[in-house]
Amino acid sequence: MKFDPYEFIAVMIPGALPTLTVSLLVPDVATLLLTNGVELGAFGIFLIVSFVVGHVVQLFGNMIEKAETFVTYGPVDMAVRSSRRPMDADQWQRFVNVIETLGLTTQQGPTHETWPGIRREVYARLSADGRTERIDMFNRTYGLCRGMVAGALLSSGIMLLLGEADSWKTAILVVGLLALPLYVRMRRFSRYYFNEIVSQFLATQNEQTK
């Protein structure tokens, strides 16, 4: 099985957190994974399970984004709300002028409905020019942080369901030490990703018009 970097970083690693939580709380799972240390076969099983669980974690991560959008704080809001936009108005207006000129939008700037499609087409054009390395790096880190936030929340829920009476203390500790700081970092890299895709696209268009 061959994984791309995003699957390793943003799917498998977050998936390992609730997988490890269950292995520590359920003796049968712990016996399978940790007998005489982690053997190669058991470690392979752990990776596969983490990959599968990671996709479940991704679902919770998507729910986090939907909750952000509901309170006008999501990634799409950076494109449609000036108060959420992490760049100056002049740079953004130049970007809007370019996408309108190229026919990527027929409206006055992106909307909640059109921005995902515009972003994908902008990325596709940048990918064709080989200018997505930094964008991909920011996206992987964002995906990792989002996955770890979702994984920490899911692990806390598992602790409450499978743990002992005082497991709520550990669950709160996991949320406080993992979920909250990683959410702050997730938001930061969401802004980095947004800035980078806009800046790279403007730079590409400037080079093509010279």
Side-chain angles (χ1 to χ4, degrees), residues 25 33 76 162 210:
L25 294 175
L33 297 179
V76 177
L162 301 180
K210 288 181 180 179

Side-chain angles (χ1 to χ4, degrees), residues 1-51:
M1 184 181 294
K2 184 178 180 181
F3 300 103
D4 65 31
Y6 186 89
E7 289 175 319
F8 270 117
I9 295 171
V11 178
M12 191 174 292
I13 294 176
L17 185 57
T19 302
L20 181 60
T21 301
V22 173
S23 72
L24 294 176
L25 294 175
V26 180
D28 290 341
V29 176
T31 299
L32 173 64
L33 297 179
L34 302 176
T35 299
N36 297 321
V38 179
E39 299 176 356
L40 181 60
F43 185 64
I45 293 173
F46 181 83
L47 290 180
I48 293 172
V49 173
S50 295
F51 180 69

